[in-house]
Every structure is written in structure tokens, then in C-alpha cells.
Amino acid sequence: MHTRLSRGIASKIGATGIMFKWCCQQTRFLLKSAVTACVAGALLSACAEGTDPEYGDVGYVSGFYGGLSVDEPTAALVGRNVLTAGGNAVDAAVAMSFALSVTYPSEVSLGGGGVCIVHDTSLGLTEVIDFIPPAGSGSGERPSAIPTMVRGMAALHARYGQFPWRAVVSPSERLARLGHRVSRAFAADLTRAAAPLSQEPTLRAVFAPNGRLLGEGDRLVQPDLSGILGQIRANGAGAFYSGQLARRIVEGVRAVGGTLTYEELNAYTPAWRSTVLVPFDSSEAHFAPPPAAGGPLLASMWRMLTEGDRYEDANASQRSHLIAEVMKRALADRRNWLAEGFASTVPVSDIHSPERVAALMANYSASQATRPPGLSAQAGQVPEVISGTGFVVLDRLGMAIACNLTQYNSFGNGRIADETGIILAAAPGLRGRNPLSLSPVMVITENTLNFRFAAASGGGPLAPASLIEVMAQTLLGDVPVEQAVAAPRLYASDAPDTVLVEEQGGNDLAASLAALGHPVSRFNWQGRVTALHCPNSFSVSRREGSRCGVVADPRGFGLAPFSNSLE
């Protein structure tokens, strides 16, 4: 049984505590607002000096509360507040996901979805929740996906959450209703998308309300979106998928040319799946299964690196070459098993079997670049759009979660459903908009089932490349996770045969690969990694939290709160 024993207590005091503490921190602002969640008496009571925080209050956890990493800082603070109020990793993940739909709508929307790997140390269970959005089948001139995130978050919360539902949704509702300052992370996406945004009235009305595109520090208010979030908070996720609100959403999608029917919205259900598991040393690496096709790809690469201690036995100058060769082979083999709809034509366990990867590495040479066995000269890669984001969370009791969220394109299909504030996710399968790159990763110890490592990445085809490099350096090369995430990266393609090396700081890496015969090009890297690593695995009894490392990618503008005390 997955229901937490403390859920009854949480439902009574969790939401109230979080609300009061948030109000304490923003009293001056709220008293000037026409919309406030706190009455003056409650403020005076909850903010009184000397009052000890209760369960549900920010600051309730005075010692180690866990940590997280996410690409957008406002959402990171929402997650941190949930952890310090006594919430678990899933509570923080759900709260951050909804917050990202408000603060980072270029990459996350209620109209999109994703995939998460969750590890519950108390149950010794690691599993995947798949809420990857399929294409809508309705008629329209701007194809869109079925919105899956709300029901995915509800299923995740129902299975593992501790705080009441309203407590994890209300922070995002407040951010949308009262407004928030545009972060550098979102401002950078707005700048990159300035030209198409200026051409689309529904986006322009929200993100350039006065005729000027919002910039860092400007206040963004989203009243339509806050109304939808308010109904989700008050009436549950089911209201989004059936009844009056669902019909309103479908009408809003159709009004802007999207493709969605009430029947398919109502029928959508997320799926719980087993992970793709690759044992190594005394640990287990867990990846997501198709249609998160990045999972089997990563599993294949990980098996090639770990079989026979291949990566660990290579010297420093050989390891980048090995990564490039492994990447080429895994991408070449993906064409052998990838089916229409991004499923697999063979059992997923066969993709990373020792026999299969041994055949792929049969002609590997440590001293020169080689072509993957059986590669057709006419073969080409399936295109992928560089987009999406990911985050990781670890709580004070060792529960961990790693998620990828996507709308298949920056700003989805480029339109907001009428009178909802919801950016529509692009329909998968068109012009490289697909789930090929999706797969967070989780590593746990084999015997104790304790958390050891988690990572997630956005960036289309660069996501698996980023993850495998960080994983190898951290878990096999004993490099501190902060150093591994910051190191220059590479992406090796088998068709065409080339290695893209990060422009910034990658001169030595490019030179070493070229010396071994790799055709090298330089590239301004856009893939970002969020990662958590506990070198000795996380153990509550050993109080190992202080030895863990958490990092947000320096290529972006995210945040990684992690502390043994609340300052």
C-alpha cells in the first residue's frame, strides 16, 4: 500500500501552514493586493515572534531537508519551501511542475506532459510514471498534443504524496494570479523566441502586454492561467479532464486551431511502468522505457561503458574517445529497434543486453575512430527539436524523483488556448517534435536500495549525450558532480559521422578527438543537466546528507538549493 500514514494529519494542517508562512514572507505586498489568501488576524497570529513552525510551515524542518535542482529559480524556491515545510520529494516535484508552468512556460505547460522516475526508499521501489503527451486527433490547422501533465501529477501525488493536493497546487496559482518577476532563465527563452512571439497574438498578449517583450525582472501576471489552476486546486485534477472545465479547455484549444477532442481528453490516463534496469558494480541504473526513447538509448550506452570496466580501465585521454564511440554505436543501433510511435520492435531488455552491446563494440579501437558495425552509408538520424527541461529532488528521508517535462518545442505549438492561459504542446511526430530524448536517470545501491544518483536534462538530442557524460564522470570516474556537469561536452553522430564539441572550454577536448580521427565541429551547447549525487549513497541512519552534492548546470540560470540548515 502506497498511502502515507501521515496523509490525514497533512490534510488538516499542511495547506494552512504553507499559506500562512508564505503570507508572512510577503505581508507588505499582499496587504496592497486586491486578492489575498490571508486575513489580518491570521497574519498576526502566524507571524508572531517566537512561534515555532509547525508541520506545513516553511522552516518546520530545521536540519537537513534534502535538496533539488531545476532550470528555473522561482520554481526551485517553491520546491525548497515544500521540503522545508516537511513535504516529501514527490510533494516538491508536483509543486515545482505546476510552478514551472507559470514561471517557465517556454518549456513547461499544463498543455504538455513528461516522464518521471521515482524511488521510495521505504518500499525499496523504483518505478516510472509515463505521462508523455500523445497527439490530439481533432481537426485544426495547428496540430497540438493531448494535455497530460495535470493527470500525471495527480497520479504521482496520489501514489506517493504526503501534503494535501491543494497545498502543492496553490503556490503556482498565487504566482500566476499575483504575478512574479521574470527570471533570467525565462527571459533568455523569450529573447530567443522574440520573432515568432511577435507574430502570434495569443502569446503576444501575455508576454508583451504593453507592446514590449517582457524582460528579466519584469512582472508577469497570468489571470487566465491562475483561474485554471484555482479550479485544479479546488476541484482536483479530474475537473481538468471532465465536465464544464474540460469542455472549456477543448473549446479554447479549437478556437486557436489546435487539435483536441473532449473524448480523448476525458479518456487520457497516465501509465505506471517498470524501469529499464542496468546493474553495475554494486548499484542499479534505472532509465525510462519507450516512448521515452532516450531511456533504452542511455541503457545501451551505459552497458557499453560498464561491461568489463571499459570506462574505468581507460586512461583520461581515452575516455572522451570511448564516449564518442559508444554514442555513435547506440545511435546507429537505435534505427534497428525504434518503431513508429517511438516504441521498440524488440524487447527493451534486448536493446542493452550484454550480447547486443558486445556485438556493437566488436570493432572498437582505443587508438582510433571506427564506424559502427553494419552502418549503412545512407542512414540518417531522426530529427529532434532542442527543447524541454528536467529536475531532480531528494528529501530528508531518502525518497528521490527525477523528471523530464516537455511540450515538444519551445512555447509548444506557439499558441495559447483561448481564455485559459494554457500554452498548447506541439503534436509529436512533426518536424522533430518527439519524445526521443526523454529519459531521466536514477541510480540506487543494489543491496540497501538507498539513493545514490539522479539526473535529468533538456536539450533534445543533446540530453542523452549530456547525461551519459555526467554519469560516466561522476559514477565511474570519481569526478565531483559539480565538476562533471561543468566539463565541456560532446555529441557524436554516426550519420553523418561527426563529433560536435562544445565551443566554450572545449579546445583540448576537440584536439584530442581530432587526433584519433574523429571529424570534429564546434557547437554552442544548449543541453542542461540537473544532478544529485551521494557518493556513499544516502542513508538516514548514517546521516549522509551533508556529503551529497547537487548542481544546476552553469550553462543555464537554474538553482540548486541544498542545505543542512534553513538560513
Side-chain angles (χ1 to χ4, degrees):
M1 183 173 180
H2 296 285
T3 304
R4 302 278 84 77
L5 294 178
S6 57
R7 183 172 294 171
I9 299 173
S11 65
K12 295 179 181 178
I13 63 176
T16 303
I18 292 176
M19 183 182 295
F20 283 178
K21 190 64 178 182
W22 183 83
C23 291
C24 294
Q25 295 170 337
Q26 304 196 41
T27 303
R28 292 181 181 177
F29 176 75
L30 286 172
L31 290 178
K32 295 178 182 179
S33 173
V35 180
T36 177
C38 307
V39 296
L43 281 171
L44 292 172
S45 174
C47 299
E49 290 187 11
T51 301
D52 292 332
E54 297 181 350
Y55 177 79
D57 291 346
V58 176
Y60 168 75
V61 180
S62 59
F64 175 74
Y65 60 79
L68 57 92
S69 177
V70 63
D71 285 333
E72 200 284 324
T74 305
L77 295 178
V78 168
R80 182 206 62 180
N81 287 350
V82 171
L83 290 178
T84 65
N88 66 19
V90 165
D91 294 323
V94 173
M96 284 198 304
S97 296
F98 282 117
L100 285 166
S101 73
V102 178
T103 65
Y104 206 30
S106 51
E107 305 299 342
V108 180
S109 167
L110 300 186
V115 60
C116 298
I117 301 177
V118 59
H119 172 67
D120 188 335
T121 190
S122 65
L123 298 173
L125 178 65
T126 306
E127 59 182 340
V128 172
I129 183 167
D130 169 2
F131 52 107
I132 296 171
S137 62
S139 59
E141 47 88 18
R142 188 66 70 95
S144 57
I146 298 172
T148 60
M149 195 180 85
V150 176
R151 194 158 266 174
M153 288 297 111
L156 180 63
H157 181 264
R159 198 170 183 107
Y160 289 105
Q162 179 173 291
F163 273 14
W165 175 250
R166 62 186 180 274
V168 295
V169 179
S170 59
S172 58
E173 179 191 358
R174 290 193 296 265
L175 286 167
R177 186 179 301 278
L178 302 177
H180 65 93
R181 299 294 181 185
V182 171
S183 65
R184 187 170 299 177
F186 182 47
D189 280 3
L190 283 170
T191 300
R192 281 191 289 267
L197 281 174
S198 67
Q199 302 300 314
E200 176 47 54
T202 61
L203 292 177
R204 192 169 62 240
V206 176
F207 303 117
N210 300 314
R212 178 186 66 84
L213 196 66
L214 294 174
E216 182 183 354
D218 289 338
R219 182 165 290 279
L220 172 59
V221 180
Q222 301 169 80
D224 286 344
L225 183 59
S226 74
I228 300 296
L229 287 165
Q231 293 203 47
I232 294 169
R233 168 189 53 77
N235 302 317
F240 190 92
Y241 292 89
S242 64
Q244 183 177 357
L245 178 58
R247 295 188 186 281
R248 175 183 162 194
I249 290 168
V250 171
E251 290 171 2
V253 171
R254 290 177 175 175
V256 295
T259 50
L260 181 66
T261 69
Y262 177 83
E263 291 74 21
E264 62 194 5
L265 179 65
N266 179 253
Y268 175 75
T269 304
W272 288 97
R273 305 189 190 279
S274 299
T275 63
V276 180
L277 190 154
V278 181
F280 72 101
D281 296 336
S282 59
S283 298
E284 299 173 340
H286 295 263
F287 308 94
L297 182 73
L298 280 165
S300 176
M301 289 192 282
W302 191 244
R303 180 82 75 173
M304 289 185 231
L305 293 174
T306 56
E307 283 290 292
D309 297 328
R310 188 176 279 115
Y311 184 91
E312 292 177 89
D313 290 346
N315 61 45
S317 63
Q318 293 173 334
R319 286 178 172 177
S320 295
H321 164 67
L322 174 59
I323 289 280
E325 291 291 288
V326 161
M327 206 174 295
K328 287 193 299 184
R329 284 159 170 77
L331 285 170
D333 189 49
R334 186 174 68 178
R335 287 192 295 277
N336 295 325
W337 56 261
L338 186 63
E340 186 177 352
F342 311 104
S344 173
T345 59
V346 301
V348 174
S349 58
D350 288 354
I351 295 171
H352 61 89
S353 68
E355 297 78 16
R356 192 182 189 103
V357 300
L360 290 172
M361 293 297 286
N363 70 333
Y364 167 73
S365 170
S367 60
Q368 64 178 359
T370 56
R371 291 177 66 79
L375 176 64
S376 169
Q378 286 75 38
Q381 289 298 335
V382 178
E384 298 176 61
V385 171
I386 295 176
S387 67
T389 190
F391 62 78
V392 293
V393 189
L394 172 70
D395 68 28
R396 69 192 191 281
L397 298 180
M399 176 183 282
I401 184 168
C403 295
N404 273 132
L405 301 178
T406 185
Q407 41 191 354
Y408 297 128
N409 193 35
S410 185
F411 291 96
N413 80 347
R415 292 184 180 173
I416 294 177
D418 198 30
E419 297 183 353
T420 68
I422 300 171
I423 295 179
L424 305 183
L430 300 174
R431 296 188 294 278
R433 298 165 182 173
N434 54 55
L436 283 181
S437 65
L438 297 181
S439 181
V441 59
M442 184 82 66
V443 177
I444 64 169
T445 53
E446 191 171 28
N447 294 326
T448 63
L449 302 181
N450 287 332
F451 169 84
R452 185 180 174 194
F453 177 87
S457 178
L462 304 180
S466 300
L467 286 175
I468 200 68
E469 292 175 81
V470 172
M471 285 182 68
Q473 291 183 47
T474 303
L475 298 172
L476 305 178
D478 295 324
V479 174
V481 66
E482 298 85 355
Q483 184 179 331
V485 169
R489 296 181 189 150
L490 65 89
Y491 171 80
S493 170
D494 64 295
D497 185 10
T498 187
V499 179
L500 300 178
V501 174
E502 185 172 8
E503 184 72 42
Q504 183 68 30
N507 289 342
D508 291 343
L509 175 59
S512 67
L513 290 168
L516 293 175
H518 293 279
V520 173
S521 299
R522 304 303 294 276
F523 184 73
N524 183 21
W525 201 269
Q526 297 180 51
R528 300 173 304 278
V529 173
T530 58
L532 260 162
H533 180 222
C534 299
N536 300 325
S537 78
F538 179 82
S539 170
V540 176
S541 61
R542 295 199 311 267
R543 300 191 179 276
E544 292 287 351
S546 62
R547 303 185 185 183
C548 301
V550 59
V551 60
D553 202 311
R555 296 162 184 81
F557 308 102
L559 190 64
F562 192 89
S563 176
N564 281 326
S565 62
L566 186 64
E567 299 178 356

